[in-house]
Amino acid sequence: MEGCAVVKVVAEVPREDEVLSLLREYTVAWFKRTFRSFTPSQLMAIPYIKQGLNVLISSPTGTGKTLAAFLPIVDGLYRLGELGQIQDSVYAVYISPLRALNNDIVKNLRKPIDGIREVALGMGIELPELRVKVRTSDTLPSEKQKMLKEPPHILVTTPESLAIALVAPRFREKLSGVRWVVVDEVHELASSKRGAHLSLTLERLEELIPWELQRIGLSATIAPLEVVAQFLVGYRSSLEPRDCVVVDARFLKPMEVDVLCPKVDIIRDSAEVVNEAIYQELKKIVLRHRTTLVFTNTRSSTERVVFKLRKIFEKEGVLDADEVEAHHSSLSRELRLDVENKLKNGDLRAIVSSTSLELGVDIGHIDAVVLLSSPKSVTRLIQRVGRSGHSISDVSRGYIVAVDRDDLVEVTVLAKLSRERKLDSVRVLRKPLDILAQHIVGMSLERKWKLREAYEVIRRSYNYRELSWGEFMRVIEYLSGKHEDVLLTTRTYSKIRYYEDEEAFGKKRGVRAIYYLNSGAIPDEAKIRVFTEDGRYVGDLEEEFVEYLEPGDVFVLGGRTFQFVKSSAMRVVARKVEHQKPTVPSWFSEMLPLSFDSAIEVAKFRGHVSRMIDSVGLKRAVREVSIGYGVDERVAKYIVDYVYEQKEYVGVVPDERVFLVEMWYDDASYTDNLIFHTLLGRRVNDALARATALLASDLIDVNVRITVTDNGFILTAPSKHVLFNDEVVHRVLSDLKNCQLRELLRRALRRSEILKRRFRHCAERALALLRNYRGEETSVSRRQVNAETLIRIVETIEEFPILEEAYREVMEDVMDVEDAERILNSMKAGDIMVKLMRVRGPPSPFAHSMVTHGYSDVILMEDRKKLLLKLYEEVLRKMSEKVT
């Protein structure tokens, strides 16, 4: 493990009497009265927390992680109470990324706190009252005032609110006695800017107190645990790693996952017939179980599934329609809470969610989990299915319903990997400079800092361990107004005082209010209005969706197809087009990308099936896949036939070691296409596609459009004749293998929608653009206009930190440039072979889902189905011609 001295990874469960001996008699008495026994994660964690060690607990939802963390803390606080040493100070901080859950946490904590005190009183021991309070942006000013007089002994908060509490002069004093920090949902924070924000906040809290914090992390199933532990605990000065005990209870709960395919012909039957079969399958599962949680991959499909299920249950009279509800982030908080309470009370038979119920929302008992389509990663599959099962000993039962052959291949592999517990690797963000800028402003409000001293504190955070002195100083220079004369037109003023002669920085007058009103890591998103070129308003698009549009892209809005022309601030200009295939489905920004690790495993599986067909024949291969991957023979046959057709049609089954570049001229749309079969996940393919498109555009002097999917990408050039001949393609591939990918991507991204909008987000986090000025909200539209002005100005400043961060965010967080670079290095070394082939007629079977990618909107599903069937039958006809 890179630079972190983990004490040990604990997977053995100690005896219960050993753990009970560590707790005070009244704590033991309360526990025995309330619970039958400890869960394994509690038995494993409590001894180490009692020893004062940093602990990361990783176990499924519903296994008692919160009590594992807090029982020894509450026990320790009551020990202080017995000694008369409890003061008016915060001793423990509980941090949750979900503000909506904080009141539930307080209720859950009050049970052991009040219960233990009551039991102790029955034993003749009078314990002091322990106060637990929530402090978030929702907390009333009057409540915050009360906390100054009576601070909570246990503070429940969010990463953003803790950062603000640290600079609140009077409340800051109350944090100087903190001993324990409990970070919930660490897996959710580790790979996000909110995690980097929290990581720096904890180092600043560490600086405030006279001892080392004891850090306790609570995580669902995640890997590698060592990296998550590094993120949680960070470093001491001089980058000496802090120790951490990792409690690995991820796989103690048994799990069963079944892959289901509707009992219809998923290739030839219409979309209506296939959809009907899916709902019948779903109905059976719901009726078989008391409570079923159904996951979709987008918010829109969540609403659609609920609507359809209610209609079916009403029509057939088997269930009341009110027993089926939706839960997603677009619903109001009141509606979500109402649904959660219905579920806890046993009033629901089915609840349908996109991603909002993946996190630790307390939703009571779930008997089964259904995933409609692929969850796109093994880790997410295990986390979702792990929500079912009433207790640690109950089996978590999951069903994955797949409706096309690409999906069947993918989920068959993911289900097997979940049984083998092969998780995807989490990636912690590296030195996000916008978050750093915000924290330097926060630090300036605490006191005057020597530059070198502040730099050392920042580098104790795992996210910033690689921060160079030059990067740090460029942020200091920006914040202290070095470029103020250039930035005057955008009203971007200095936020700190820089004492150059002292090599120090400190507070600038008037900045405290700006910091309070504008800090945080979550960007504002807004709807963008779409107009035709003659100024007619046609509807709204999500800003996240617009990020992915390039000039020439075709999308669906209000049942009609439009071509993206340009955008300005929060306005898109598009022209109405007919008879053109959509290139970007409307749900694209919501859709989870297939993780790189899982993508490689799916690619390996395709190669494995291909070799199996060669060695044992089709029939035996079907049996081998069925037995080896735990799917029925019907599913196995779909998979084997799919690979066989690809193999017979073009002679190449692309896998993890062989990529296929398919040259295909589409007579129907007069476009020349290069189809790259690179099963690497959308994030890697996005990076490779943009770089390759730029190289191709430079070579043929035509604007090349891209279509990106998890299974590969397509370059498309409008032309009445073939542009991508062998010579051009060989040259593009050669240039790609030898390119400096990051430099090429910077060129490709320079005027892109995604860079413009991510730059605004970064500028907001770095306090260059203010969301709130003097208590008044500034509009997203105005901020986007200012961002587009600002980006043009800062392009003239070498290595301006906000622009550098915008490029880094797009390349490393949205895309996956690191793995893309590894792939190019493997291609250059000859470890990955690239085969080039021109197809006469339809593209190969593996290309069909990519070619019809934009047709994946509901309104065009029937069109997509017809096109897929047409391509499939053309391939079969070509194959039969070969045989004759």
Side-chain angles (χ1 to χ4, degrees):
M1 177 175 157
E2 179 195 323
C4 185
V6 175
V7 174
K8 63 177 173 178
V9 177
V10 183
E12 291 179 13
V13 182
R15 293 200 324 271
E16 188 157 302
D17 59 332
E18 292 173 5
V19 176
L20 290 172
S21 70
L22 302 171
L23 301 169
R24 308 192 82 64
E25 59 178 335
Y26 41 74
T27 305
V28 171
W30 170 82
F31 182 84
K32 286 185 170 178
R33 190 180 77 179
T34 313
F35 299 98
R36 279 183 301 178
S37 60
F38 284 113
T39 66
S41 59
Q42 291 167 347
L43 290 171
M44 293 154 78
I46 288 171
Y48 294 103
I49 295 172
K50 288 298 285 184
Q51 288 174 49
L53 298 169
N54 296 320
V55 177
L56 171 66
I57 309 169
S58 184
S59 68
T61 302
T63 53
K65 291 190 289 289
T66 307
L67 189 64
F70 273 106
L71 195 64
I73 291 173
V74 170
D75 187 72
L77 284 172
Y78 278 140
R79 185 186 68 81
L80 291 176
E82 278 188 77
L83 299 171
Q85 293 176 3
I86 286 274
Q87 298 175 356
D88 280 339
S89 179
V90 178
Y91 286 86
V93 179
Y94 173 92
I95 301 160
S96 164
L98 296 172
R99 188 175 59 196
L101 287 185
N102 285 339
N103 288 323
D104 279 350
I105 290 296
V106 172
K107 283 181 202 166
N108 291 339
L109 288 180
R110 286 251 60 100
K111 289 172 189 172
I113 287 170
D114 295 341
I116 292 168
R117 191 165 178 241
E118 183 189 313
V119 168
L121 197 59
M123 295 177 167
I125 304 167
E126 194 165 340
L127 297 175
E129 181 192 352
L130 292 183
R131 295 186 292 269
V132 186
K133 292 182 182 177
V134 174
R135 186 184 178 104
T136 68
S137 56
D138 291 338
T139 307
L140 296 172
S142 57
E143 286 296 312
K144 290 179 180 175
Q145 278 297 116
K146 283 182 194 171
M147 286 187 203
L148 294 174
K149 294 174 187 170
E150 283 195 336
H153 299 114
I154 299 173
L155 175 68
V156 177
T157 189
T158 61
E160 293 77 11
S161 294
L162 180 60
I164 290 172
L166 259 183
V167 298
R170 293 169 66 198
F171 193 74
R172 179 178 167 80
E173 295 168 23
K174 308 299 179 187
L175 294 171
S176 60
V178 172
R179 300 186 180 197
W180 299 277
V181 170
V182 180
V183 182
D184 202 358
E185 310 287 358
V186 177
H187 58 284
E188 181 69 13
L189 290 166
S191 58
S192 71
K193 287 200 173 182
R194 292 185 79 198
H197 182 50
L198 175 63
S199 182
L200 281 177
T201 301
L202 292 183
E203 292 310 327
R204 288 167 54 199
L205 178 60
E206 190 95 39
E207 196 68 9
L208 174 65
I209 61 178
W211 44 70
E212 273 205 351
L213 284 170
Q214 184 180 359
R215 306 184 193 207
I216 303 160
L218 312 180
S219 174
T221 306
I222 197 170
L225 288 177
E226 293 86 355
V227 170
V228 182
Q230 288 177 315
F231 163 75
L232 175 68
V233 301
Y235 299 87
R236 298 186 182 92
S237 298
S238 307
L239 295 189
E240 178 197 344
R242 294 192 183 102
D243 292 337
C244 184
V245 174
V246 176
V247 169
D248 185 1
R250 293 172 296 176
F251 308 125
L252 294 176
K253 195 174 179 183
M255 178 181 291
E256 291 179 9
V257 180
D258 293 334
V259 174
L260 304 179
C261 183
K263 302 293 191 291
V264 292
D265 187 332
I266 63 171
I267 302 170
R268 290 188 171 85
D269 282 338
S270 68
E272 188 180 347
V273 169
V274 173
N275 280 337
E276 195 57 42
I278 293 168
Y279 286 111
Q280 288 304 315
E281 203 70 55
L282 200 47
K283 183 188 80 173
K284 284 181 206 166
I285 296 169
V286 171
L287 293 177
R288 199 183 305 144
H289 298 283
R290 195 180 77 184
T291 314
T292 302
L293 171 58
V294 181
F295 279 107
T296 68
N297 280 356
T298 64
R299 291 187 294 271
S300 53
S301 42
T302 294
E303 294 289 355
R304 205 161 62 245
V305 171
V306 167
F307 176 75
K308 184 72 175 171
L309 276 180
R310 282 176 164 176
K311 276 185 73 175
I312 289 170
F313 289 140
E314 268 188 324
K315 184 181 174 185
E316 299 185 11
V318 288
L319 279 184
D320 191 321
D322 290 341
E323 293 180 87
V324 182
E325 290 282 7
H327 189 290
H328 57 74
S329 56
S330 294
L331 295 173
S332 71
R333 182 167 177 251
E334 289 72 25
L335 277 175
R336 289 202 308 272
L337 285 173
D338 183 50
V339 170
E340 288 161 23
N341 287 331
K342 279 184 182 176
L343 193 57
K344 283 181 206 172
N345 297 335
D347 298 333
L348 296 181
R349 289 293 299 274
I351 183 166
V352 187
S353 175
S354 49
T355 56
S356 56
L357 289 179
E358 282 181 356
L359 296 184
V361 181
D362 181 11
I363 51 174
H365 292 164
I366 296 290
D367 290 323
V369 169
V370 180
L371 311 182
L372 290 179
S373 193
S374 169
K376 297 294 174 181
S377 90
V378 187
T379 304
R380 188 174 291 107
L381 168 55
I382 291 173
Q383 284 174 3
R384 287 179 170 184
V385 173
R387 303 235 60 180
S388 65
H390 295 196
S391 70
I392 190 71
S393 58
D394 285 345
V395 174
S396 290
R397 176 161 291 285
Y399 304 90
I400 316 176
V401 182
V403 294
D404 66 44
R405 297 194 295 180
D406 280 311
D407 235 13
L408 277 176
V409 170
E410 197 172 294
V411 301
T412 295
V413 173
L414 294 183
K416 185 170 192 288
L417 292 171
S418 73
R419 294 180 204 114
E420 295 170 351
R421 307 305 202 231
K422 290 182 179 173
L423 303 177
D424 308 280
S425 296
V426 69
R427 188 166 291 165
V428 179
L429 302 196
R430 295 192 310 176
K431 51 187 179 183
L433 299 179
D434 50 354
I435 297 294
L436 174 61
Q438 191 179 122
H439 273 269
I440 289 172
V441 174
M443 291 169 83
S444 76
L445 299 175
E446 296 170 1
R447 61 182 172 88
K448 187 189 277 190
W449 290 79
K450 290 287 186 183
L451 290 174
R452 186 59 67 177
E453 178 192 15
Y455 177 63
E456 291 304 324
V457 169
I458 289 160
R459 288 217 307 158
R460 294 198 315 234
S461 155
Y462 180 66
N463 298 81
Y464 292 92
R465 67 201 182 282
E466 296 172 2
L467 181 74
S468 71
W469 179 255
E471 287 166 325
F472 171 71
M473 283 308 299
R474 282 189 285 278
V475 175
I476 292 286
E477 287 164 359
Y478 144 64
L479 288 171
S480 61
K482 180 181 177 183
H483 311 293
E484 212 164 67
D485 52 340
V486 183
L487 302 177
L488 206 57
T489 54
T490 59
R491 298 184 179 181
T492 305
Y493 304 120
S494 61
K495 303 293 187 299
I496 62 173
R497 283 183 66 94
Y498 178 29
Y499 305 94
E500 198 166 351
D501 53 336
E502 298 178 51
E503 295 186 334
F505 68 90
K507 177 173 64 176
K508 187 183 176 190
R509 196 173 157 196
V511 169
R512 184 178 293 277
I514 288 173
Y515 180 80
Y516 283 179
L517 293 171
N518 293 277
S519 62
I522 303 169
D524 289 337
E525 295 289 354
K527 298 275 189 184
I528 296 183
R529 291 165 70 80
V530 181
F531 295 85
T532 57
E533 289 172 299
D534 59 4
R536 188 168 59 86
Y537 169 66
V538 291
D540 295 337
L541 292 173
E542 297 282 345
E543 187 178 13
E544 281 180 295
F545 175 73
V546 174
E547 279 188 349
Y548 289 96
L549 294 179
E550 295 284 331
D553 270 330
V554 178
F555 60 92
V556 177
L557 182 60
R560 293 183 171 86
T561 46
F562 294 89
Q563 189 171 53
F564 178 69
V565 176
K566 63 178 181 178
S567 84
S568 175
M570 307 309 282
R571 179 186 176 109
V572 158
V573 177
R575 69 172 64 99
K576 191 178 171 187
V577 291
E578 292 178 5
H579 312 302
Q580 284 203 39
K581 289 183 218 150
T583 56
V584 187
S586 62
W587 46 256
F588 188 69
S589 60
E590 287 183 56
M591 191 71 179
L592 299 161
L594 179 62
S595 71
F596 177 71
D597 294 344
S598 292
I600 293 295
E601 293 295 332
V602 176
K604 284 180 182 174
F605 175 64
R606 295 200 310 195
H608 171 64
V609 174
S610 174
R611 290 186 293 275
M612 202 188 297
I613 291 168
D614 287 339
S615 62
V616 300
L618 284 170
K619 282 188 179 177
R620 180 75 183 275
V622 169
R623 284 199 299 276
E624 296 280 342
V625 169
S626 174
I627 295 164
Y629 287 79
V631 294
D632 66 38
E633 289 208 358
R634 192 167 153 274
V635 168
K637 189 171 188 316
Y638 272 128
I639 291 168
V640 171
D641 285 351
Y642 188 32
V643 174
Y644 172 73
E645 286 157 17
Q646 173 73 18
K647 194 180 183 68
E648 282 296 295
Y649 188 61
V650 290
V652 180
V653 174
D655 58 18
E656 87 284 10
R657 291 293 174 200
V658 177
F659 292 165
L660 171 64
V661 180
E662 195 171 333
M663 303 155 74
W664 171 59
Y665 186 82
D666 184 3
D667 295 307
S669 63
Y670 298 113
T671 57
D672 199 18
N673 300 271
L674 287 181
I675 304 170
F676 286 73
H677 294 264
T678 50
L679 208 170
L680 301 165
R682 192 173 84 209
R683 294 176 60 232
V684 172
N685 282 331
D686 197 357
L688 294 176
R690 288 177 192 259
T692 313
L694 183 58
L695 291 171
S697 296
D698 287 349
L699 209 54
I700 63 175
D701 199 25
V702 170
N703 186 28
V704 174
R705 202 172 63 220
I706 63 173
T707 301
V708 181
T709 74
D710 287 317
N711 289 12
F713 59 93
I714 305 176
L715 304 190
T716 301
S719 173
K720 288 290 173 76
H721 58 275
V722 170
L723 295 174
F724 296 128
N725 57 40
D726 285 19
E727 185 185 344
V728 167
V729 179
H730 281 299
R731 174 76 183 277
V732 168
L733 289 172
S734 174
D735 289 348
L736 182 66
K737 280 191 269 190
N738 294 294
C739 76
Q740 294 296 315
L741 184 58
R742 288 174 196 254
E743 289 174 22
L744 199 57
L745 282 175
R746 282 180 80 106
R747 271 185 61 208
L749 290 168
R750 190 161 176 244
R751 293 285 176 259
S752 66
E753 286 299 316
I754 195 164
L755 185 74
K756 284 196 294 188
R757 295 182 189 283
R758 295 292 171 139
F759 177 81
R760 188 193 87 231
H761 297 169
C762 294
E764 288 169 0
R765 293 189 198 99
L767 309 180
L769 296 172
L770 302 182
R771 295 192 297 267
N772 191 307
Y773 184 61
R774 293 182 177 173
E776 287 195 17
E777 288 286 332
T778 58
S779 72
V780 177
S781 180
R782 170 50 50 197
R783 276 179 264 148
Q784 189 61 44
V785 169
N786 290 343
E788 289 173 25
T789 303
L790 184 60
I791 199 171
R792 286 193 294 273
I793 293 169
V794 301
E795 278 181 329
T796 64
I797 302 170
E798 190 177 351
E799 296 186 273
F800 188 73
I802 300 174
L803 183 56
E804 291 301 306
E805 175 54 27
Y807 277 117
R808 188 213 62 78
E809 181 178 320
V810 174
M811 287 195 275
E812 293 185 9
D813 304 346
V814 180
M815 300 174 189
D816 180 359
V817 71
E818 286 183 44
D819 284 319
E821 286 172 327
R822 288 192 193 100
I823 292 297
L824 292 182
N825 288 335
S826 294
M827 286 165 61
K828 194 172 180 180
D831 297 329
I832 293 175
M833 303 296 294
V834 181
K835 296 196 175 180
L836 185 61
M837 185 165 296
R838 179 166 293 282
V839 290
R840 309 287 177 188
S844 71
F846 282 6
H848 294 180
S849 63
M850 286 190 263
V851 170
T852 61
H853 175 65
Y855 273 81
S856 302
D857 284 302
V858 190
I859 215 148
L860 295 172
M861 187 58 81
E862 195 60 54
D863 289 345
R864 181 176 191 260
K865 204 68 174 115
K866 285 174 184 170
L867 182 53
L868 279 169
L869 182 57
K870 183 185 170 195
L871 290 170
Y872 174 71
E873 288 178 339
E874 281 182 23
V875 164
L876 292 187
R877 184 170 53 78
K878 283 276 182 185
M879 284 167 61
S880 67
E881 285 172 8
K882 270 191 199 177
V883 173
T884 55

